[in-house]
Amino acid sequence: MDNPFVIIAHVPTDSVMEGFLPELRIKGQELRLVTDQPDLYHEYIEQGVLTPNEIVAADVFNPVAIINALTQAIIIPAAIFSNSDHLQTATAIAAEFYNLPTKNWKACYRTKNKRVMRDTINASELDSVWCRSVCERSELMMPDISFPCVVKPVQGVASEHVFLAQDNQALHEYAESYWSNAPLQPLLLEEYLIGPLHTLETIGDGNEIYILGSFETALSEPPYFIELGRRFKRNLDEQDADTLLRQLKALGVGFGACHTEFIMTKDGPRLIEVNYRNIGDQSDFLIAEALEFNTFSAVIDLHLGKPIGVIPKTSKCALIRCQVAKNSGVLGFVPETQSLLKNGCQVHFHPLCVGGNFHQQDFSNRDFLSVIYATGPSEEILSLVMEECIEHFNIDVEVDSKIKHSKEVA
């Protein structure tokens, strides 16, 4: 029996179930999926995507629990890997126990905890972004808080609970709302950086970090920060790339995939956050198609101790559009997942909701109803095709009359 490739996971994601898992099958690599939510993977067992003996139950947020579960199941892993923001530190510690190729667990923690990330970069003197973490209402009265400021959970994801506070009253109201549901959970207040949002997508072999490309991201209007779409480009300005890579190295990033968000200010790129894993929301599939480079396979190989391979220097034009719910309500007809070829463009429609279900507006990326991504011969042609497809695949959200009435009364 081969030593299995172990994936540490919380809830099912497209990146794992449709990206990494199929590649492991192609490679003939035995698999074990360790999760604290085994019931959520039953549908994949029913579909034949997984077998029951491939699921191992454990508290995946605890590295000792992961090691104990593997020991109890008599599993000697060939690799231990996770694509979850929340699980990078625990995964790295468990992999280190088995002397497997892995990320530095301290780097995983530095990138996950946004306050520690800011402190590390500021201490390195590579940038200086004002920030302060707060856990109590009295801390919101500190005199050095300047407005507007961005408020977000210290360990948040997917733009959840990220808010632009214009004044102290807005800050207090938002903190009260957040802490009513998450008592004592720290919030980070930080300087509002002005400029367009971009990403840097990289992959590293432990010695060198390679740039896969960059997305320019369109955002909703403040006070929330919801991603509406992205435009991919293969090459980043050399000086800007160097600035960002030096900051990633200061954090200890250097192995595996990394998704970095930054604001392109008038003074150059400044970090927003670092997600030490593949980019999500179908953008990882788009990168692979645009580059004609199997990023999922490359990441798997890295964790198995194999080289990355040659990364292409050019790419196809690539765009992604996210349909976002503008209100709460009942979802109308939702088309099924599909791909089509139109005017030389390869288009993929990926729904993220179910027709007839009720959607509660979250003011974050959780409001995504669908993602459409495509590659094509030119941006002009691709943009026209995307506009047609957005209209064709539109999902209606019917406002519940009771909800509408309660809002009017309020």
Side-chain angles (χ1 to χ4, degrees):
M1 181 180 293
D2 293 335
N3 299 83
F5 190 102
V6 175
I7 294 179
I8 311 297
H10 179 48
V11 299
T13 63
D14 293 333
S15 295
V16 169
M17 304 310 298
E18 299 175 17
F20 289 107
L21 196 151
E23 283 305 315
L24 289 169
R25 301 299 192 205
I26 291 171
K27 292 175 182 291
Q29 178 70 49
E30 188 178 348
L31 165 73
R32 291 293 184 276
L33 192 146
V34 181
T35 179
D36 62 336
Q37 301 287 330
D39 290 348
L40 297 182
Y41 292 86
H42 283 176
E43 65 176 289
Y44 296 97
I45 294 175
E46 294 173 355
Q47 296 168 7
V49 175
L50 290 168
T51 62
N53 70 328
E54 289 178 323
I55 303 290
V56 178
D59 176 5
V60 289
F61 293 86
N62 182 344
V64 175
I66 294 172
I67 296 168
N68 286 343
L70 295 177
T71 301
Q72 181 66 28
I74 318 177
I75 294 171
I76 305 298
I80 300 181
F81 161 79
S82 179
N83 198 53
S84 167
D85 274 314
H86 300 288
L87 306 179
Q88 293 301 321
T89 305
T91 298
I93 293 172
E96 187 176 308
F97 174 80
Y98 290 98
N99 296 314
L100 296 169
T102 190
K103 299 166 184 174
N104 181 307
W105 74 264
K106 294 180 182 179
C108 294
Y109 181 77
R110 290 188 200 107
T111 56
K112 177 57 182 169
N113 187 301
K114 294 176 173 61
R115 173 60 192 267
V116 175
M117 184 206 79
R118 288 294 187 208
D119 289 346
T120 302
I121 296 300
N122 289 351
S124 72
E125 299 184 348
L126 293 172
D127 197 1
S128 180
V129 175
W130 178 88
C131 70
R132 177 186 296 279
S133 54
V134 294
C135 292
E136 300 178 359
R137 291 161 181 81
S138 60
E139 294 175 316
L140 301 176
M141 299 303 295
M142 293 292 181
D144 64 337
I145 300 175
S146 60
F147 295 95
C149 71
V150 177
V151 190
K152 56 185 166 185
V154 167
Q155 299 200 60
V157 294
S159 73
E160 286 185 325
H161 309 296
V162 181
F163 180 77
L164 181 65
Q166 296 288 350
D167 52 37
N168 196 264
Q169 180 180 345
L171 173 60
H172 272 75
E173 291 176 353
Y174 195 76
E176 286 285 352
S177 174
Y178 178 76
W179 282 329
S180 67
N181 295 310
L184 301 179
Q185 292 300 308
L187 285 168
L188 185 69
L189 315 182
E190 63 182 19
E191 176 184 346
Y192 178 44
L193 302 176
I194 299 175
L197 176 65
H198 293 255
T199 81
L200 180 71
E201 311 306 328
T202 59
I203 186 170
D205 59 10
N207 295 311
E208 187 172 351
I209 300 176
Y210 302 91
I211 295 176
L212 297 173
S214 173
F215 283 101
E216 181 177 358
T217 305
L219 290 176
S220 63
E221 291 296 320
Y224 302 103
F225 299 86
I226 308 170
E227 295 176 8
L228 304 178
R230 296 184 178 126
R231 178 176 65 88
F232 182 72
K233 63 177 181 178
R234 176 67 182 89
N235 297 308
L236 195 66
D237 176 82
E238 188 174 340
Q239 184 175 344
D240 292 337
D242 180 67
T243 298
L244 294 165
L245 291 177
R246 283 189 288 119
Q247 294 187 50
L248 289 179
K249 290 173 182 177
L251 292 167
V253 170
F255 183 82
C258 189
H259 163 57
T260 302
E261 297 185 1
F262 64 94
I263 296 293
M264 187 61 76
T265 71
K266 61 182 179 61
D267 299 316
R270 304 184 74 183
L271 286 186
I272 292 294
E273 64 180 33
V274 179
N275 302 289
Y276 207 173
R277 42 96 177 144
N278 270 30
I279 188 174
D281 297 324
Q282 301 295 307
S283 294
D284 40 2
F285 295 93
L286 180 60
I287 290 175
E289 185 173 303
L291 294 179
E292 297 184 308
F293 175 73
N294 194 325
T295 52
F296 299 102
S297 178
V299 170
I300 289 170
D301 285 346
L302 277 172
H303 285 267
L304 290 170
K306 300 177 182 179
I308 292 175
V310 179
I311 301 173
K313 294 182 178 180
T314 59
S315 76
K316 300 176 183 176
C317 294
L319 292 173
I320 190 163
R321 292 287 184 269
C322 308
Q323 184 182 351
V324 178
K326 296 181 176 62
N327 52 263
S328 300
V330 178
L331 301 173
F333 172 72
V334 177
E336 62 183 15
T337 300
Q338 55 192 284
S339 298
L340 57 94
L341 185 63
K342 186 177 180 66
N343 296 344
C345 300
Q346 185 66 52
V347 183
H348 307 272
F349 170 77
H350 190 86
L352 299 171
C353 59
V354 177
N357 283 2
F358 179 83
H359 176 80
Q360 180 63 50
Q361 190 176 18
D362 189 63
F363 301 103
S364 77
N365 289 358
R366 304 297 183 195
D367 287 326
F368 287 174
L369 300 179
S370 71
V371 170
I372 304 174
Y373 67 95
T375 56
S378 72
E379 282 200 17
E380 183 180 6
I381 295 174
L382 190 56
S383 295
L384 291 173
V385 168
M386 284 291 279
E387 290 304 317
E388 293 177 8
C389 290
I390 289 168
E391 184 177 349
H392 177 72
F393 290 117
N394 182 59
I395 300 171
D396 292 322
V397 183
E398 182 179 348
V399 179
D400 189 293
S401 59
K402 294 179 181 179
I403 294 175
K404 184 176 180 182
H405 176 69
S406 65
K407 286 183 177 180
E408 290 173 347
V409 171

